[in-house]
């Protein structure tokens, strides 16, 4: 699944493969980590993503591994959003889908979040 630019619905290139040189908490959201590859910021992820993708300083990440990490991060963020969104009041599936799309989640991520909610 491609990453999506926050301002556009166009796929972004997967960050370049390489060696993880740092994992740092983000300044605005301590629950997210900035991942630096070969000394350059590459992407941000939720800390919980590390449970399924245990990466650390010195880890080698290929493009496929990065793609899977970013996909799992998007799915986690979508699930968290839907839980908070539904906690305020009951919503229709259509409302939830629209809210996720307005936040620029990719179609596959939206479908996954909806299916997960239905299963719960």
């Amino acid at each position: 699944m491609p990453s999506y630019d926050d301002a556009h619905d166009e796929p972004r290139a997967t960050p370049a493969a390489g060696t993880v040189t740092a994992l740092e908490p983000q300044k605005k959201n301590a629950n997210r980590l900035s991942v630096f590859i070969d000394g350059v910021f590459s992407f941000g992820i939720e800390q919980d993503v590390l449970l399924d993708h245990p990466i650390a300083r010195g880890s080698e990440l290929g493009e496929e591994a990065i793609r899977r990490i970013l996909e799992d991060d998007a799915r986690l963020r979508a699930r968290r959003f839907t839980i908070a969104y539904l906690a305020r009041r009951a919503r229709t599936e259509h409302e939830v889908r629209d809210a996720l799309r307005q936040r620029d989640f990719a179609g596959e991520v939206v479908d996954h979040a909806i299916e997960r909610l239905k299963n719960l």
Side-chain angles (χ1 to χ4, degrees), residues 57-111:
R57 199 169 150 203
S59 298
E60 292 289 330
L61 293 179
E63 286 185 13
E64 182 62 23
I66 292 171
R67 186 196 61 73
R68 286 191 314 269
I69 290 168
L70 293 175
E71 182 178 295
D72 286 352
D73 180 66
R75 287 179 175 180
L76 176 61
R77 288 184 297 111
R79 281 195 310 267
R80 286 184 175 168
F81 169 78
T82 57
I83 290 167
Y85 188 61
L86 291 169
R88 289 184 220 124
R89 70 173 177 86
R91 313 278 181 159
T92 66
E93 179 180 333
H94 182 76
E95 287 175 308
V96 174
R97 281 185 185 279
D98 283 349
L100 287 166
R101 287 185 192 123
Q102 287 175 357
R103 281 151 186 84
D104 294 324
F105 285 105
E108 292 175 15
V109 173
V110 172
D111 292 342

Side-chain angles (χ1 to χ4, degrees), residues 2-3 10 15 18 23 35 45 55 59 65 71 78 85 97 109 114:
S3 303
E10 298 176 15
L23 291 167
V35 179
I45 58 171
I55 60 174
S59 298
E71 182 178 295
Y85 188 61
R97 281 185 185 279
V109 173
I114 296 295

Side-chain angles (χ1 to χ4, degrees), residues 6-64:
D6 292 338
H8 304 88
D9 201 18
E10 298 176 15
R12 276 194 298 226
T14 300
T19 303
V20 175
T21 52
L23 291 167
E24 298 177 2
Q26 292 187 350
K27 292 175 185 172
K28 292 185 178 182
N29 185 347
N31 293 324
R32 290 186 62 77
L33 297 171
S34 293
V35 179
F36 292 81
I37 295 180
D38 297 327
V40 177
F41 172 79
S42 187
F43 55 90
I45 58 171
E46 296 286 329
Q47 287 184 0
D48 290 348
V49 172
L50 293 179
L51 297 172
D52 293 326
H53 302 277
I55 60 174
R57 199 169 150 203
S59 298
E60 292 289 330
L61 293 179
E63 286 185 13
E64 182 62 23

